[in-house]
Amino acid sequence: MGEEKKKDVLFERFLACATEEMPTQDLKDQVAEGLRKRRVKPPVAVMEQVLRKRLSDEKANQIMFYPDAQEASLYPLLLQNAPTGSQQDHPQTKSQILFLGPLYLVHRKNWEFMRPFILAGGLRALVNMFLHDNLHLRGQAIEVFRNLTSEETFPWHDGHKLSAEASSSSSSSLSSGRQDQAKEIMGKMFELTQAGIIPKLVANYSSPFPNASFLCLSILAFYASFLRVNYCKDNILQLSENLLKRLEEWSQRKDVSQEERDLAKTMHDDFGRFEPAKLPEDGEKGSNRGKRREEEEEEEEE
């Protein structure tokens, strides 16, 4: 098979994956047509401005439609927020619009893409979009992150399993990785305490787009559990009093599903068993600082 034919096959696979879950054939055809046009005229100028290097049309298409591990590691840069106060036509915002779509539709389903994406800072790039003014981008970033929290994707809550899979050639998610990479991936998730993941999740309480509050509460439940199991002595994670109050309010909301209320109540009852963190900051910031304190305690024990 010739080189051009291989590229055509890869692109058609991308299209099939991108449209497979769309509800109507008309929508599938519309999206496929737009992506074909994008391939004919790739956004080279925007990509060069963001990545600060020259690109051919074919290289631009490879990054967008059939990236390898090296190209996957470029996505955190391509998804980086524009500087505060920038105009809507800032190259970085254009790049987010161009590349969050392929990530959301296709690449998030492929661990061989997501592994180098995470190692290059992809989780932080996504979290930084959790309060994006563009609600479409915000929603896609949150959904991509939520997808990553699945234990089928990565053993976030099981360090022993992680170490075993890292050295196993039969592992679906870690077969080509090494143990140090697996630990680094865990570290990238932990570092999100410094990116303000908790206050950004809670800030979506008012559900600025459909199902936003439930998605963010689900991620908050995952993240609190992740921190407690992997980084807290005796599995005790102290949340601030304000955050516990917010969870209690969440459990009593009338504008969300029973499932969402139940999850909030479970979190409140679970973490409410422990004394609240004694911190001067507000609830969300306090819980974030609390995790930094846990990190310091762990370092002292080591």
Side-chain angles (χ1 to χ4, degrees):
M1 184 184 297
E3 192 63 29
E4 290 302 317
K5 182 63 174 177
K6 289 180 181 178
K7 294 172 185 176
D8 290 341
V9 170
L10 290 173
F11 179 71
E12 291 303 320
R13 287 178 184 170
F14 175 91
L15 286 184
C17 186
T19 60
E20 64 181 351
E21 296 179 3
M22 294 180 178
T24 67
Q25 189 60 46
D26 285 346
L27 181 58
K28 290 182 179 183
D29 293 342
Q30 181 181 349
V31 171
E33 181 182 1
L35 291 170
R36 291 183 193 280
K37 290 180 179 178
R38 180 65 48 76
R39 188 189 183 201
V40 171
K41 191 176 181 180
V44 174
V46 170
M47 295 173 68
E48 288 181 339
Q49 286 178 291
V50 172
L51 298 176
R52 299 183 180 182
K53 63 179 181 179
R54 303 292 293 178
L55 297 171
S56 65
D57 284 5
E58 179 47 44
K59 186 64 172 179
N61 279 328
Q62 181 174 341
I63 294 171
M64 180 170 283
F65 299 120
Y66 32 89
D68 58 20
Q70 184 176 2
E71 277 95 39
S73 68
L74 297 176
Y75 268 65
L77 285 175
L78 293 164
L79 297 179
Q80 194 173 52
N81 284 335
T84 302
S86 298
Q87 299 296 318
Q88 288 297 314
D89 61 352
H90 190 281
Q92 199 69 60
T93 302
K94 291 181 179 179
S95 180
Q96 288 180 320
I97 294 170
L98 288 165
F99 285 91
L100 187 56
L103 175 62
Y104 174 79
L105 290 172
V106 178
H107 303 320
R108 65 169 171 154
K109 304 172 186 178
N110 178 13
W111 179 253
E112 291 307 307
F113 174 94
M114 296 308 297
R115 179 168 51 85
F117 171 76
I118 292 171
L119 292 172
L123 295 177
R124 184 181 287 261
L126 291 172
V127 168
N128 286 340
M129 299 178 74
F130 282 7
L131 295 180
H132 204 292
D133 290 339
N134 183 320
L135 295 182
H136 184 68
L137 294 179
R138 186 193 301 199
Q140 287 190 334
I142 289 172
E143 288 202 45
V144 170
F145 192 98
R146 167 74 184 281
N147 185 73
L148 277 171
T149 63
S150 168
E151 294 295 314
E152 295 179 0
T153 299
F154 189 84
W156 297 109
H157 287 80
D158 194 335
H160 296 295
K161 180 180 178 181
L162 184 153
S163 298
E165 290 196 0
S167 58
S168 172
S169 60
S170 62
S171 166
S172 61
S173 62
L174 297 173
S175 59
S176 61
R178 300 172 300 179
Q179 187 169 353
D180 58 340
Q181 279 192 338
K183 290 179 178 178
E184 188 176 354
I185 288 170
M186 294 282 284
K188 292 294 184 181
M189 183 64 77
F190 176 75
E191 289 172 5
L192 298 180
T193 56
Q194 301 168 16
I197 183 173
I198 292 176
K200 288 173 181 174
L201 289 170
V202 175
N204 284 282
Y205 175 88
S206 61
S207 218
F209 61 88
N211 209 36
S213 64
F214 183 54
L215 286 171
C216 289
L217 181 64
S218 299
I219 295 173
L220 178 61
F222 157 81
Y223 199 69
S225 177
F226 167 81
L227 292 176
R228 179 169 66 177
V229 169
N230 294 298
Y231 297 100
C232 294
K233 184 177 180 180
D234 298 326
N235 284 350
I236 297 176
L237 173 63
Q238 293 173 283
L239 302 183
S240 71
E241 187 174 356
N242 282 357
L243 183 52
L244 288 170
K245 285 182 178 178
R246 175 58 90 182
L247 288 171
E248 185 175 22
E249 293 169 359
W250 216 317
S251 70
Q252 298 170 359
R253 294 176 66 173
K254 303 299 183 183
D255 60 336
V256 299
S257 67
Q258 185 63 47
E259 182 180 8
E260 185 170 342
R261 289 194 294 271
D262 289 346
L263 177 57
K265 185 178 187 305
T266 297
M267 286 191 67
H268 176 268
D269 292 348
D270 188 6
F271 291 97
R273 293 176 297 151
F274 312 114
E275 286 293 320
K278 304 298 183 182
L279 297 166
E281 293 87 347
D282 61 48
E284 296 83 11
K285 291 181 181 177
S287 62
N288 193 21
R289 173 74 68 81
K291 281 318 306 153
R292 290 198 291 271
R293 188 178 65 179
E294 293 289 350
E295 180 185 19
E296 291 169 0
E297 291 174 358
E298 288 292 314
E299 290 175 351
E300 288 175 3
E301 290 179 3
E302 291 176 358

